[in-house]
Amino acid sequence: MNAELITDVLRNSILITGLVLVMMLMIEYFNIQSQGRWFSKLKGSGFRQVILGAVLGLIPGCLGGFAVVSLFTHKMISFGALVAMMICSSGDEAFVILAMLPQKAPLLFLLQFVLGVAAGLLIDKFFKKPQVNFCPDGYEIHHQSESTLPSIFKAQSYRDALKRPSTERLLILAGIILFIGAVAGGYLEHDHSSHIHLDGDCTHHSHTHVGFSLLSERWIHFIFAIFSIVTVLFTATAKEHFIKEHIWEHVIKRHMLSIFLWTFGALLVCQIGIAYLNIQEWVNNNLFWVMILAILIGIIPESGPHLVFVTLCAQGIVPFYILLVSSIVQDGHAALPLLAESKSAFIKAKLINMAVGLAVGLVCWALC
């Protein structure tokens, strides 16, 4: 194992972790800014519940998923809407997909949405709704517990927030600013001379990029640098309680190290496999069993293990449909509260997810 391989993996892991955290911060800020209005219109017809359940499932991270589980356990939405959310949700992996596969992410999310809505509507139409007689607590879904964030366009907001800044605020600001500098300066770009690289396409190997593309790696990183600047403005004006309880405790302490370690591990395993174990040939000869493995790992109600399939797809080792199957079956930790309160509802929903994922996988496997 050479130093260049480790350095490239480390550089990509820092880049991906930074992009994921920036997107997490943006969602936290906009959820608070909206005063929880994202979740206020889930009541209504079964069709509307399934559509909006699927939309909330597409929100990267746990935010939308936790809201749907809470509303389901309060009997405010149908079981079909819950299933639609679980098919559409990819947990924290959705952030990584956006960072590593920006060209493929829209198609992936669109397919998940269509499949989730179709499955949810069929379930509500033909199957008896399970009885749920509980009301969960103990997890955070960010309703209207915070006042609106101060305006980032008013100088008074910065003066009020930065008069006596906390250590957490300063560390977050310093981290984002360093990340912006590293991305803008190209210090986190990976080595394009490697055999296979992360260019946002599951099938392309190393080649020379010609022409101009807004979805090229350089421009994607530039766009994320702009998003990072917006998060700096929000971080510089947000209230101390929000910085400490929501951003530091929830995003930084709970997610940052886990995301980095899982990303680093997945990238390292894939790079070692490419360089020394001829993993690509083995995968190509065993795609059916790779698909089955993706489904089985998808049962795990946690973000992290599924990143290996995101990485394999980004490296061009597995086809796109393997990532689709993995994304359909797994839902990060969005359904953990459901597992804690109703194992039967969790098992029924997860079995449906697995059936949908297996059906899609078998069709794609037969056609490819």
Side-chain angles (χ1 to χ4, degrees):
M1 190 183 305
N2 56 53
E4 185 179 354
L5 185 149
I6 297 294
T7 301
D8 199 43
V9 169
L10 181 61
R11 186 185 298 117
N12 274 292
S13 300
I14 294 172
L15 172 64
I16 292 165
T17 302
L19 297 179
V20 168
L21 290 177
V22 165
M23 287 186 278
M24 284 185 168
L25 291 175
M26 291 285 284
I27 285 182
E28 289 283 343
Y29 287 132
F30 284 126
N31 177 51
I32 297 300
Q33 189 68 42
S34 72
Q35 289 286 281
R37 287 189 292 271
W38 285 5
F39 312 123
S40 64
K41 297 182 179 180
L42 276 171
K43 291 183 178 180
S45 67
F47 177 79
R48 188 190 307 171
Q49 290 175 17
V50 170
I51 293 292
L52 290 178
V55 169
L56 289 178
L58 289 176
I59 297 175
C62 61
L63 189 64
F66 281 1
V68 172
V69 169
S70 177
L71 291 164
F72 171 70
T73 57
H74 283 81
K75 300 182 179 181
M76 295 175 66
I77 61 172
S78 67
F79 183 65
L82 175 72
V83 170
M85 179 278 292
M86 292 178 68
I87 290 176
C88 292
S89 177
S90 299
D92 293 345
E93 280 82 349
F95 291 114
V96 182
I97 290 168
L98 286 167
M100 296 179 72
L101 294 160
Q103 293 174 314
K104 296 294 183 181
L107 175 60
L108 177 68
F109 297 154
L110 175 62
L111 291 173
Q112 286 181 262
F113 177 79
V114 171
L115 292 167
V117 169
L121 292 176
L122 287 173
I123 288 166
D124 282 350
K125 184 173 180 64
F126 294 108
F127 294 93
K128 182 180 179 181
K129 300 177 182 179
Q131 296 298 315
V132 181
N133 299 308
F134 56 85
C135 176
D137 53 18
Y139 60 94
E140 189 175 20
I141 58 175
H142 306 295
H143 283 303
Q144 298 97 318
S145 59
E146 295 284 343
S147 58
T148 305
L149 290 170
S151 173
I152 62 174
F153 302 105
K154 294 181 179 180
Q156 186 62 40
S157 299
Y158 297 92
R159 286 196 293 267
D160 292 342
L162 298 176
K163 189 178 299 181
R164 291 185 179 85
S166 64
T167 302
E168 292 87 349
R169 187 193 299 270
L170 293 177
L171 287 173
I172 295 170
L173 284 172
I176 300 174
I177 292 170
L178 286 174
F179 179 71
I180 293 171
V183 171
Y187 298 109
L188 295 180
E189 291 184 1
H190 59 269
D191 183 6
H192 289 271
S193 63
S194 61
H195 177 61
I196 301 173
H197 57 79
L198 311 181
D199 63 353
D201 194 315
C202 301
T203 58
H204 290 167
H205 292 233
S206 292
H207 58 276
T208 302
H209 291 279
V210 179
F212 174 82
S213 173
L214 280 177
L215 288 178
S216 68
E217 180 188 53
R218 186 75 172 134
W219 279 99
I220 289 295
H221 293 176
F222 181 74
I223 291 170
F224 276 118
I226 294 175
F227 288 164
S228 300
I229 293 173
V230 175
T231 64
V232 168
L233 299 179
F234 278 125
T235 303
T237 57
K239 295 182 178 180
E240 285 294 342
H241 172 76
F242 180 76
I243 291 293
K244 291 181 178 179
E245 298 299 325
H246 292 265
I247 301 305
W248 186 260
E249 293 294 331
H250 179 240
V251 176
I252 303 300
K253 291 180 66 175
R254 191 178 302 176
H255 291 281
M256 185 174 71
L257 182 60
S258 175
I259 291 169
F260 174 79
L261 291 177
W262 276 108
T263 301
F264 182 84
L267 287 173
L268 185 61
V269 168
C270 290
Q271 289 288 1
I272 292 174
I274 292 170
Y276 302 106
L277 303 178
N278 202 10
I279 188 176
Q280 189 164 12
E281 181 180 350
W282 184 88
V283 169
N284 289 338
N285 294 330
N286 296 275
L287 280 177
F288 174 81
W289 295 111
V290 173
M291 177 185 67
I292 297 300
L293 183 62
I295 292 173
L296 293 176
I297 293 178
I299 299 173
I300 302 172
E302 181 59 76
S303 293
H306 323 286
L307 282 178
V308 67
F309 297 102
V310 180
T311 306
L312 288 172
C313 185
Q315 296 280 16
I317 298 174
V318 300
F320 175 77
Y321 77 84
I322 297 293
L323 177 61
L324 175 61
V325 170
S326 173
S327 299
I328 289 170
V329 179
Q330 72 98 359
D331 40 62
H333 53 262
L336 270 178
L338 182 66
L339 176 62
E341 297 293 340
S342 175
K343 292 177 176 58
S344 62
F346 175 85
I347 291 172
K348 290 176 183 177
K350 185 58 75 172
L351 286 174
I352 294 171
N353 282 20
M354 294 173 65
V356 173
L358 180 61
V360 170
L362 288 174
V363 170
C364 294
W365 178 71
L367 294 175
C368 292

